[in-house]
Amino acid sequence: MRDLILMNKIKRIIHSIALLLLVVFILQGCGNKAESVTASVDKDDSKEEIQIGIAFDSFLIERWERDRDIFVSRARDLGAEVNVQNANGDVQKQKDQIKYLIDKKMDVIVIVAVDSSELKKEVEEAQDAGIKVVAYDRLVMDSPVDLYISFDNEMVGKFMADAIMAELPDGGQVMKINGPSKDNNVSLVNKGFDDEIKGHGIVVFDTYYAAEWKGEEAFNYLTENPQKADKADAVMCGNDSLAGQAVRYYSEKRRAGRIPIVGQDADLDACQRIVEGTQTMTVYKSIEQLAKRAAEAAVSLAKGNNIADAAEIENGSFEVPYVSIPPVMVTKDNIDSVIIDSGFHLREDVYLKER
Ligand code: BGC
């Protein structure tokens, strides 16, 4: 694998030297045409652009288009070409897309795993072909990925617990509506939550996993289990899309605003619910920071460098390089400074009543 990378590098160096000699030769012949010659050298170099493939789970949830746009734009600024794939939540489709990116001879493949435990073979195939692999946002288990870059997901769970405990100082019964368990972030968020509530009188009496992060699943689950829904003193939702459907359910029962409901992502409608008082908190995760750092890391890996500031995380069988970005808890109290001042959403979009 290293030999292949070395060969590619040598080829590139020979190519650059040949171009340089050509420039010197032309400059000697016609001194005043230096500018246009330099331009043509740049153009020629761009044929050697770094190729990055990025395989998304789906664009169903609001944040992912932002992830895509920022990643692609930063990678392009750094001289890379980006091939974007979307598996629409289908594991097999994602596997096929990764194989396609391997055949296309990408320098780096960035993966938002549909199923964190299902991509071991594909990662190995890519690495055998000399391609670097980055696990984006979600860890890929049991594979020696070259980098895992994400938010601190345990911290997200801790924030959710803190927000619920602040609303239920004497303890209470909590229902969890998670995303799918095949997304490794779900277990990390739950671990952070469970560790935090220990010894505070908060009891999780029911846990549900919504397939493919589908919001309607949360609504249907509550509708089909009215006794559980009634019993809950608070609902911990895996993200804002699920929280939105929980708020919808409790609005119909006239409990919205009176039952603490938490989520994550700082989706626009979640921010609107927070200022209205129907959702207790969300978690802001700077997609700008994540996507930019991931694009920079991908380009750096393509150039054969290691990621200097990476820590390490265990993914079952390996210790892999890990870059983590801190999330921020968002409530009514700090929504202006965290969400509006950062430009994540516009004030007039969040505060609909002020319009
Ligand atoms: C991410 C969340 C996102 C969810 C659904 C999770 O892995 O951590 O931010 O809402 O996937 O796309």
Side-chain angles (χ1 to χ4, degrees), residues 61 63-64 137-138 153 183 185 213 239 264-265 285:
I61 301 296
R63 61 165 282 191
W64 297 110
D137 196 75
R138 300 174 184 164
N153 287 288
D183 177 340
N185 288 350
W213 288 101
N239 73 2
Q264 66 160 320
D265 286 346
K285 305 195 292 190

